[in-house]
Amino acid sequence: MPVTEMRAAASSPAPSWALQESKGRLCLALKGTWNIQTQNGINFPQDSFASVASIADKTVTVDVTGLQNWDVSLIAFLWDVKKAACQASLTLDEQTLPDSAQRLLALLPDKPAEVTPHQEHHEGFLSRVGGKCLNNLNEIGTMATLTMDVFRGAMQAFRGKSAMRLKDLLVDVWNAGPSALLIVSIVNFLVGAILAFVGLIELRKFAAEIYVTNLVGIASAREISAIMTAIIMAGRTGGAYAARISTMLGNEEIDALQVTGIPVSGYILLPSILSLVIMMPLLYLYGTMVSIFGGFVVAMGMMDISPIGYWLATFDGVEISQFVFGFIKSLFFAAFIALAACRVGLKAGRSAADVGIAATRAVVIGIVGIIALDAVFAVIANAVGI
């Protein structure tokens, strides 16, 4: 007699199933056409075997004599039957099913995989601090290795044995130097003009306007021009380096170079770093003169002094050691900006969004690092008496 029966309200031949018990055995009878369009609303409840779990024969046979066309919807239904039978300690006999249905059903497990609950792992305070320290030490070691590889490549380039191409170096030199003259000129000119304007207003209170030449000259040569030029290059060139290298990483160009045995440090990084180290000191000297000229333009409009007198007072008040100190600082600024930008580009992700993130991170690290390095140089200068 039928134990459970479900029939779809659809036109004939509608799919239907019936679970029957006869002589201590269970039989699942399938009839009609089983496809996605006609099977809507037909499912196999997981507790269908609850009322017949006490039968002696634990095998459930399938009667397909009334089965007509079918698709994967029948396999999904049979999988529900198989899971319900497994839950009731019964076995589904698949021998009477079509061969294709048996092969598809064999690909499915008897029961869905158990989902283990996610257990959040909370690290202790000391563990987090230790992990941060190890990551920082690892990054310091990576940067030291990268610096040594670039330095070794530079020595080989001077001997003519480097993997760097002269064309790449010249292109990077042009982008890092002459292409940046306009923005370096504008920024340094305005900074020099501002220094002279503010200095004249304050020094006029003490009838010491002539000392504005020393103020603009020393500030430009010692601090302002080096810092402003470095910040400009960090935002302009450092960000471009990081974006370019991260784009190459996303396009798998870096991987291709490594597979072919071409050193990335010599072929990609060395031209970028060397060009910035070459051009930054020159841009610093140029920016210093432009900054002093900006102060000169403001002073000519606010002071009663001849142009020759202004320049003589400037060169008399600014020692050559101030220019040497700023020149050396600009070398270190350039090396730091280039190395940091290249490292950020190499450790970036491979998506398009990671390119922008790498460029932003390179600019931020470059600017913060410049300020930190300048503070270190200020302490050193005070110690040596410059």
Side-chain angles (χ1 to χ4, degrees):
M1 65 176 180
V3 177
T4 310
E5 184 172 354
M6 176 73 68
R7 181 178 300 274
S11 60
S12 181
S16 64
W17 63 271
L19 187 60
Q20 302 172 344
E21 181 182 2
S22 177
K23 298 179 180 180
R25 301 191 63 180
L26 288 177
C27 178
L28 178 65
L30 302 177
K31 297 180 181 179
T33 300
W34 289 74
N35 53 43
I36 297 176
Q37 289 78 16
T38 61
Q39 197 198 351
N40 292 333
I42 295 185
N43 51 34
F44 191 85
Q46 292 298 302
D47 58 349
S48 298
F49 295 110
S51 59
V52 294
S54 60
I55 61 175
D57 195 340
K58 300 296 184 179
T59 302
V60 181
T61 60
V62 182
D63 181 11
V64 295
T65 54
L67 180 64
Q68 299 185 20
N69 297 329
W70 60 275
D71 58 13
V72 292
S73 61
L74 175 63
I75 305 301
F77 176 80
L78 291 175
W79 188 35
D80 291 338
V81 176
K82 193 173 182 179
K83 291 186 293 183
C86 181
Q87 186 176 1
S89 301
L90 301 174
T91 303
L92 181 66
D93 185 6
E94 307 171 7
Q95 300 300 321
T96 58
L97 295 173
D99 293 339
S100 56
Q102 293 182 35
R103 290 194 297 269
L104 291 174
L105 195 61
L107 299 175
L108 301 174
D110 294 336
K111 57 182 179 179
E114 297 182 359
V115 179
T116 57
H118 175 70
Q119 298 180 353
E120 296 184 359
H121 177 66
H122 298 283
E123 292 184 336
F125 174 74
L126 294 179
S127 177
R128 293 196 302 270
V129 172
K132 291 290 185 181
C133 292
L134 290 177
N135 291 336
N136 291 333
L137 290 175
N138 181 64
E139 190 64 26
I140 292 173
T142 303
M143 285 294 296
T145 303
L146 179 62
T147 303
M148 291 304 300
D149 290 341
V150 172
F151 180 77
R152 192 180 301 113
M155 294 297 100
Q156 293 176 353
F158 289 131
R159 295 197 301 266
K161 299 180 180 180
S162 175
M164 176 184 64
R165 298 190 304 176
L166 181 60
K167 177 183 177 181
D168 295 336
L169 177 62
L170 294 178
V171 170
D172 287 334
V173 165
W174 174 265
N175 292 330
S179 296
L181 285 177
L182 179 60
I183 186 172
V184 170
S185 302
I186 294 173
V187 172
N188 281 282
F189 178 86
L190 294 176
V191 169
I194 293 170
L195 281 174
F197 180 78
V198 175
L200 281 171
I201 292 176
E202 294 300 320
L203 293 173
R204 184 169 293 170
K205 299 177 182 178
F206 307 96
E209 296 98 328
I210 189 60
Y211 291 107
V212 75
T213 59
N214 294 6
L215 171 65
V216 175
I218 295 175
S220 299
R222 186 185 181 95
E223 297 290 342
I224 300 300
S225 293
I227 293 177
M228 296 308 301
T229 303
I231 290 176
I232 292 170
M233 301 310 291
R236 182 184 180 277
T237 307
Y241 286 172
R244 181 177 65 184
I245 294 173
S246 60
T247 302
M248 296 178 67
L249 189 66
N251 293 337
E252 299 182 350
E253 298 176 44
I254 301 294
D255 298 334
L257 291 175
Q258 293 174 342
V259 168
T260 55
I262 299 176
V264 177
S265 59
Y267 189 77
I268 300 296
L269 307 186
L270 182 58
S272 303
I273 297 173
L274 197 59
S275 62
L276 194 57
V277 172
I278 291 173
M279 296 309 301
M280 179 76 84
L282 301 179
L283 288 174
Y284 154 74
L285 294 176
Y286 172 77
T288 302
M289 299 308 299
V290 172
S291 180
I292 294 175
F293 180 74
F296 166 77
V297 172
V298 172
M300 288 299 97
M302 298 180 63
M303 290 177 59
D304 187 13
I305 187 175
S306 65
I308 296 178
Y310 182 91
W311 288 107
L312 289 177
T314 298
F315 290 114
D316 287 341
V318 183
E319 298 178 357
I320 192 65
S321 60
Q322 304 297 331
F323 289 93
V324 174
F325 182 65
F327 188 89
I328 294 174
K329 283 204 301 185
S330 64
L331 285 173
F332 282 90
F333 289 165
F336 174 80
I337 293 169
L339 286 170
C342 292
R343 175 57 184 161
V344 169
L346 287 175
K347 65 184 294 188
R350 296 178 179 268
S351 65
D354 291 326
V355 176
I357 294 173
T360 303
R361 187 173 298 169
V363 174
V364 173
I365 292 175
I367 294 175
V368 175
I370 289 166
I371 303 301
L373 278 177
D374 187 69
V376 173
F377 273 104
V379 175
I380 295 174
N382 182 66
V384 299
I386 298 179

